[in-house]
Amino acid sequence: MKPQYVLPFERPIVQLEEQLATLEAQPGPTPTTLESIRNMRVEIAKMKREVFENLDAWQTVQVARHQDRPQARDYIELVCDEFIELHGDRAFGDDRAINVGFAKLDDCKVLLIGQHKGRNLQERNECLYGCAHPEGYRKALQKMELAAKFNLPIVCLIDTPGAYPGIGAEERGQAYTIAVNLREMSMLPVPIICIVIGEGGSGGALGLGIGDYVGILQFAYYSVISPEGCAGILWKSVKFADQAAKALKFTGRDLLQFGIVDEVIQEPLGAAHRDHRAMAITLKQTILRNIKSLENLPREELLERRYQKFRRIGEFEELIVVDEPAANAVTSTT
């Protein structure tokens, strides 16, 4: 799948792909042409591997935000055999930034929650680029509690730059609603699978991120703040967003090392925006594998493991350096 929008570091790949398309379009190819096509395909695969295996943190952010990257509704269409959407929070409205519904993946029935940014201008205005209001988080929690009554696993697909920061959202209890989600998700007695599929920004992502399994796609990121926000605070300019991205250490590799995520899910060669279907297959396999590993755990063990998982985040060891001459001096005077 050729991306409609090309990132700067993808241009050499796209140029080769265009040359390949020209060769393949020639009628009656000669043996020499066929050999050139084979060599070019090998070269393109090699270039994709070299480029995408060596992305820095800021380039990873660009891929996570790619306009052609599959979003929650794309995965719903590709992964789910059935999906029945549920609407509204019974208090204020239906937040389109968060899609919730009962889904069927092969023989497995789940409640699926996905944050959606929107594909076109109309969708983006409805979804506010994936920035949910309090009613979105209330809707998600109400449906999660319903799933728990029916003993259904919960799957959360996270993709948001952050919760909506507007006055109306704050007046309706944005921070409080997210905090309630954190508390209640920690106590739901069913398996919860959380996967960051694009951007995992701040509390907006964490409001759906308390689970027994937390995964992240290879070119997604999960952070307390966006690189631009961090650069604005530290350097007073978004021009330093690339430096902020590096300092935040929010890529999958870093998060796995810190114990914040359980797995980095590999994307197809050239990233998910080049092959939606292959990424959807991998995502579905990951979801089903983890549900199977969690579904037979006793309720008490499931909740205790989830609690300990998040208690361990942020642990560090403190190294006390002792000045040897000073220590000897103290020892000699005692």
Side-chain angles (χ1 to χ4, degrees):
M1 175 180 174
K2 180 182 176 182
Q4 297 179 4
Y5 175 74
V6 180
L7 295 170
F9 50 84
E10 289 185 293
R11 286 173 188 155
I13 298 172
V14 172
Q15 289 171 359
L16 276 181
E17 288 175 333
E18 290 173 349
Q19 294 175 24
L20 176 62
T22 302
L23 283 176
E24 291 177 332
Q26 292 179 4
T30 64
T32 303
T33 303
L34 292 173
E35 181 66 22
S36 298
I37 289 172
R38 283 193 292 269
N39 292 338
M40 195 166 290
R41 285 175 178 170
V42 172
E43 182 63 26
I44 289 172
K46 180 181 178 182
M47 186 177 292
K48 283 181 182 178
R49 192 171 292 106
E50 289 176 351
V51 168
F52 284 93
E53 286 183 356
N54 294 285
L55 296 183
D56 60 28
W58 178 241
Q59 289 171 328
T60 299
V61 173
Q62 292 176 292
V63 175
R65 295 173 177 172
H66 201 290
Q67 294 181 20
D68 300 324
R69 191 172 179 84
Q71 299 182 22
R73 290 182 193 170
D74 299 313
Y75 287 122
I76 288 171
E77 292 177 5
L78 293 169
V79 168
C80 301
D81 300 303
E82 296 178 27
F83 183 75
I84 301 174
E85 189 170 359
L86 306 173
H87 298 276
D89 71 333
R90 301 182 182 178
F92 187 85
D94 185 34
D95 192 331
R96 301 304 298 151
I98 295 182
N99 298 162
V100 187
F102 291 121
K104 188 176 181 182
L105 288 70
D106 292 342
D107 295 328
C108 184
K109 297 176 183 178
V110 304
L111 179 81
L112 193 148
I113 304 170
Q115 292 174 312
H116 189 71
K117 294 179 176 179
R119 278 284 175 220
N120 51 47
L121 184 59
Q122 180 182 350
E123 262 197 0
R124 289 167 186 158
N125 286 333
E126 291 175 357
C127 301
L128 296 170
Y129 294 82
C131 298
H133 286 73
E135 48 269 26
Y137 293 103
R138 277 196 299 268
K139 173 173 72 171
L141 181 59
Q142 286 172 3
K143 279 45 175 182
M144 283 190 274
E145 290 172 340
L146 181 63
K149 289 182 180 180
F150 291 103
N151 198 33
L152 293 177
I154 297 166
V155 178
C156 299
L157 303 181
I158 297 168
D159 188 11
T160 177
Y164 190 73
I167 293 175
E170 296 298 338
E171 289 175 341
R172 297 195 295 277
Q174 183 74 285
Y176 172 79
T177 306
I178 291 173
V180 169
N181 274 34
L182 303 186
R183 181 190 68 195
E184 296 302 318
M185 286 185 75
S186 70
M187 297 185 291
L188 289 173
V190 292
I192 304 177
I193 310 298
C194 304
I195 300 176
V196 183
I197 60 173
E199 292 188 271
S202 192
L206 198 58
L208 295 178
I210 305 299
D212 304 290
Y213 166 88
V214 180
I216 183 170
L217 299 196
Q218 184 180 2
F219 302 116
Y221 77 92
Y222 196 15
S223 174
V224 69
I225 192 172
S226 69
E228 294 89 345
C230 178
I233 293 171
L234 296 182
W235 291 284
K236 311 302 180 186
S237 174
V238 296
K239 294 179 181 178
F240 297 94
D242 56 339
Q243 295 184 35
K246 182 179 179 181
L248 285 166
K249 295 189 179 300
F250 52 35
T251 63
R253 189 183 300 108
D254 295 321
L255 297 171
L256 185 64
Q257 183 179 351
F258 296 145
I260 295 173
V261 300
D262 299 299
E263 182 183 10
V264 177
I265 303 166
Q266 293 298 304
E267 299 191 19
L269 190 61
H273 62 269
R274 288 178 162 271
D275 197 337
H276 291 197
R277 190 168 298 277
M279 187 68 253
I281 291 171
T282 302
L283 186 68
K284 183 176 183 178
Q285 292 171 345
T286 302
I287 291 170
L288 293 175
R289 168 169 50 85
N290 282 284
I291 289 175
K292 186 176 181 180
S293 69
L294 293 167
E295 63 184 354
N296 294 322
L297 287 178
R299 172 181 172 178
E300 293 76 13
E301 183 180 349
L302 183 75
L303 294 177
E304 180 63 20
R305 285 176 54 169
R306 189 185 305 160
Y307 174 78
Q308 294 299 335
K309 173 184 177 61
F310 285 90
R311 288 291 294 174
R312 285 193 299 270
I313 293 176
E315 284 186 353
F316 64 93
E317 294 182 0
E318 186 173 334
L319 180 63
I320 301 175
V321 180
V322 178
D323 184 17
E324 291 185 1
N328 293 336
V330 172
T331 303
S332 63
T333 57
T334 55

